[in-house]
Each structure stands twice: as C-alpha cells, then as structure tokens.
Amino acid sequence: MSRFTIYDLAATIDARAASGGEGSYTRKLLDRGSEHCAKKLGEEAVETVIAAVENDRDRLIAESADLLFHLLVLLKSRGVKLEDVEDALAQRTAMSGLDEKAARKRD
C-alpha cells in the first residue's frame, strides 16, 4: 500500500477546486476568497497549538492534518504551488537556520 502524501492532498485540492457544486468544502472555501482561507488557516493553527500545549497527541495529529489542508487551500487561492514552497525551503536549508534567519533580518 502506498502512503498518502502532501502531493496527493494538493492534487485532491486541485481536483475539487476545478469541480463545481455544493458538495465540495474546498470549492466553498475558495469561493469565499483568499481572506477567508487565511482566516480558516489561522483558526486551524490556533487549534493545533492548543492541542500541542495540552499534550493531546491524537488531537494534535488531527489538527495538524486540518492545518496542512487549509494551508494548501490558501496557497491555491493565491496561485502559489507546493513546488514554490519547496524551492524556498531548499534555499533555506543550504545554510544553517540561524544564518538564514540573520540574513532575512538584513534584507
């Protein structure tokens, strides 16, 4: 059995974004606009933090899944591809995290 990947999730979001109809939560989020998608991401981030602080492993896993989903929906709403984020991560991992953070402060 193959593992479900973040690329599988991105492909599902793409497919649901292309579909019409009332049956797609993804389509409804996108139809409400990027600002709404951003607010939903924020809500999921807070819920993820709370689950982590409360040391609730199962809830942390579930909220993390929600967080990743809503992040990808927000990226989709702004025309940002997962590959764009990967490219940014690849550039950052070329140096230590502390050096990368210091370089951002100079920019």
Side-chain angles (χ1 to χ4, degrees):
M1 183 169 115
S2 65
R3 290 186 53 88
F4 185 82
T5 69
I6 197 158
Y7 275 95
D8 295 327
L9 179 58
T12 299
I13 289 168
D14 287 344
R16 291 182 180 164
S19 71
E22 294 293 313
S24 171
Y25 176 63
T26 302
R27 184 71 259 158
K28 286 181 182 183
L29 286 171
L30 292 168
D31 287 346
R32 293 195 64 189
S34 295
E35 294 80 10
H36 179 75
C37 294
K39 287 177 186 175
K40 287 299 294 178
L41 176 65
E43 291 171 17
E44 296 303 334
V46 169
E47 291 171 4
T48 303
V49 169
I50 292 169
V53 168
E54 292 178 350
N55 198 25
D56 186 336
R57 185 178 191 280
D58 291 338
R59 190 162 150 233
L60 177 58
I61 291 167
E63 295 298 346
S64 295
D66 290 347
L67 182 62
L68 289 172
F69 167 78
H70 284 88
L71 173 59
L72 291 179
V73 171
L74 176 60
L75 294 175
K76 175 77 175 170
S77 76
R78 290 293 189 193
V80 176
K81 296 182 188 247
L82 186 53
E83 292 86 352
D84 300 329
V85 177
E86 285 181 324
D87 290 345
L89 288 170
Q91 290 174 354
R92 290 179 182 188
T93 57
M95 64 176 81
S96 80
L98 294 175
D99 290 340
E100 187 275 329
K101 202 167 185 162
R104 279 193 278 156
K105 287 181 182 176
R106 288 191 298 258
D107 292 340

